């Protein structure tokens, strides 16, 4: 079955540390890929998305992600995190076809310590 | 991108009752979706709300428990029926906007007591 997995469930970093959150999907066809963020008490916000073209995608707030087709991965990165990046991060995938259903991974809770 | 209004934003309900959640979009959209986010968990897709036809439900969700209406291209409702404490969750409406991606409402926080 088509699925999305996030291996890091809880990450704790100090400010200025680099961040990489893993996201893998299981599907050999065309995919659209997303990263969303949910700050405490707030609703989901889109960080970045990949549909096609340059596999290195830059999003808001200094985040970027790289689509590596051979690894079925779309990892999220940020070179230097801030305390305000404390949030839950969700990887989402739309698998090829007409359904347009966005399926999420389990989420990664990031805590940045000042 | 589209702006989504969800009502109510939160509610506390007695077990055995039903709650209807409304989702209003400020523009016409083809694809609307309903998600559930249980405490401390990720978002799970409940169903795709289809305009003019029955909703398409994901595995584990049934129409009798989560009836959905989609009378036009800007509005949908989700009803949580015969509620139990296990239904306590955040319920979110989402729309697909092609190249823009998916926009989410602010959610309805439901507590069943």
């Amino acid at each position: 079955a088509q699925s999305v997995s996030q291996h890091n469930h809880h990450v704790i970093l100090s400010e200025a540390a680099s961040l990489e959150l893993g996201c893998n999907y299981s599907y050999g066809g065309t995919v659209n890929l997303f990263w969303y963020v949910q700050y405490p008490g707030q609703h989901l916000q889109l960080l970045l998305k990949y549909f096609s073209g340059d596999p290195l995608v830059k999003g808001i707030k200094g985040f970027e992600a790289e689509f590596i087709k051979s690894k079925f991965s779309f990892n999220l990165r940020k070179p230097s995190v801030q305390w305000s990046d404390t949030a839950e991060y969700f990887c989402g995938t739309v698998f090829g076809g007409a359904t347009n259903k966005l399926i999420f991974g389990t989420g990664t809770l990031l805590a940045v310590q000042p | 991108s589209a702006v989504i209004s969800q009502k109510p934003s939160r509610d506390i309900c007695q077990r055995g009752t039903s709650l209807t959640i409304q989702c209003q979009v400020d523009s016409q959209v083809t694809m609307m979706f309903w998600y559930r986010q249980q405490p401390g968990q990720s978002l799970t897709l409940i169903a795709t709300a289809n305009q003019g036809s029955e909703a398409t439900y994901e595995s584990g969700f049934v129409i009798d428990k989560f009836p959905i209406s989609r009378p036009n291209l800007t509005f949908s409702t989700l009803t949580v029926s015969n509620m139990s404490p296990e239904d306590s969750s955040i319920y979110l409406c989402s729309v697909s906007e092609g190249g823009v991606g998916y926009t989410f409402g602010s959610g309805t926080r439901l507590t069943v007591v």
Side-chain angles (χ1 to χ4, degrees), chain B residues 12-33:
Chain B
I12 301 173
C13 300
Q14 296 289 325
R15 67 178 67 199
T17 63
S18 298
L19 176 71
T20 295
I21 302 167
Q22 299 180 1
C23 176
Q24 178 73 55
V25 189
D26 69 345
S27 59
Q28 293 187 339
V29 291
T30 304
M31 309 293 289
M32 292 181 73
F33 306 89

Side-chain angles (χ1 to χ4, degrees), chain A residues 34 36 38 43-44 46 49 51 88 90 94 98-107, chain B residues 31 33 35 37 41-43 45 48 58 92 96 98-106:
Chain A
F34 304 82
Y36 282 83
Q38 189 172 35
H43 62 276
L44 280 168
L46 178 66
K49 61 184 183 289
F51 288 174
E88 189 151 20
F90 296 97
V94 175
T99 64
N100 288 308
K101 298 188 296 185
L102 176 57
I103 306 300
F104 285 98
T106 51
Chain B
M31 309 293 289
F33 306 89
Y35 287 83
Q37 187 175 22
Q41 297 191 28
S42 185
L43 291 87
L45 180 64
T48 303
E58 297 301 304
L92 299 108
S96 169
V100 175
Y102 292 73
T103 302
F104 287 81
S106 53

